[in-house]
Amino acid sequence: MTLNRFMKLAIEYAAKTDNEVPVCAIIEKEGKILSIQTNKKENLSDITAHAEILAIKEASKKLNISILKDCNMYVTLEPCPMCAWAILNSGIKNVYFGAYDSQYGAMGSKINLINISKNKPDIYGGIMEEECRKLILDFFQKIRTKQ
C-alpha cells in the first residue's frame, strides 16, 4: 500500500535526525516524491524550519507553482498551527500524519484550523501512530537523560 510506504520512509528519515525533534514530511504527486524534509530548526537557527514548511517550499520550487493541488503530504507528527496554516494555504489535497499532538496539534487534536480555512484537504491521522509516537518519546527521553 502506498500510504504505508510513504509513512515508513518518513519514519526512516525522521529517525536519522540528530539534535532536531524527529519529524519528517514528504510531499508526493501521482506517486512521485517531490520533497522529503526533516526538521532543521536547530541546524539552521530558524524557528520556521519545520519539516512541513521546508517540504512545501521544496515541492513548490520543483513544480514552479505555489499551489500544490493534487499533492499529498505524509508527516510523522500532526502539524502545529504554523505548519497547518501553511499546508492549508498551499492547497495540498490530502494530509496523512502519524502521531497525534495533544499539545500543539492543529489538525484536530488541540485545535482544527481547517474549520476557519477555505481550503479543506482530507486529513487522516494515526497512520503508523505507535512508530511515530515512539520517535518523539525516545527523543525527549534522551534529552531528559542528558540533562
Side-chain angles (χ1 to χ4, degrees):
M1 176 185 252
T2 304
L3 172 63
N4 282 348
R5 181 173 67 98
F6 287 122
M7 192 57 78
K8 282 180 185 176
L9 187 59
I11 290 167
E12 287 176 28
Y13 273 80
K16 293 177 186 175
T17 60
D18 191 22
N19 65 329
E20 301 281 355
V21 175
V23 175
C24 177
I26 296 175
I27 296 178
E28 63 86 13
K29 182 176 182 178
E30 299 171 354
K32 181 182 176 193
I33 294 174
L34 299 173
S35 179
I36 300 176
Q37 291 290 328
T38 58
N39 279 353
K40 293 183 176 69
K41 186 178 92 167
E42 300 301 326
N43 290 332
L44 297 177
S45 298
D46 179 353
I47 197 71
T48 68
H50 289 204
E52 300 94 325
I53 301 291
L54 297 172
I56 289 168
K57 286 181 177 183
E58 183 178 28
S60 294
K61 187 175 182 179
K62 278 187 179 175
L63 295 175
N64 199 30
I65 55 173
S66 61
I67 302 300
L68 299 173
K69 68 178 188 168
D70 299 323
C71 291
N72 301 299
M73 178 180 278
Y74 303 82
V75 60
T76 54
L77 182 65
E78 180 181 3
C80 71
M82 174 181 70
C83 294
W85 198 246
I87 291 165
L88 293 170
N89 282 288
S90 73
I92 287 174
K93 183 178 177 181
N94 297 297
V95 178
Y96 304 93
F97 68 83
Y100 287 89
D101 186 347
S102 61
Q103 190 170 17
Y104 298 111
M107 292 193 146
S109 288
K110 185 69 171 181
I111 59 172
N112 195 345
L113 290 180
I114 295 166
N115 293 335
I116 60 170
S117 174
K118 289 181 183 177
N119 297 317
K120 307 281 187 201
D122 289 328
I123 308 296
Y124 304 93
I127 312 299
M128 300 182 70
E129 183 176 8
E130 284 303 313
E131 296 94 324
C132 293
R133 183 182 308 124
K134 185 175 180 349
L135 283 172
I136 302 294
L137 294 174
D138 289 352
F139 173 78
F140 286 109
Q141 180 63 41
K142 189 165 58 171
I143 288 176
R144 284 190 289 276
T145 302
K146 285 182 182 179
Q147 294 174 353

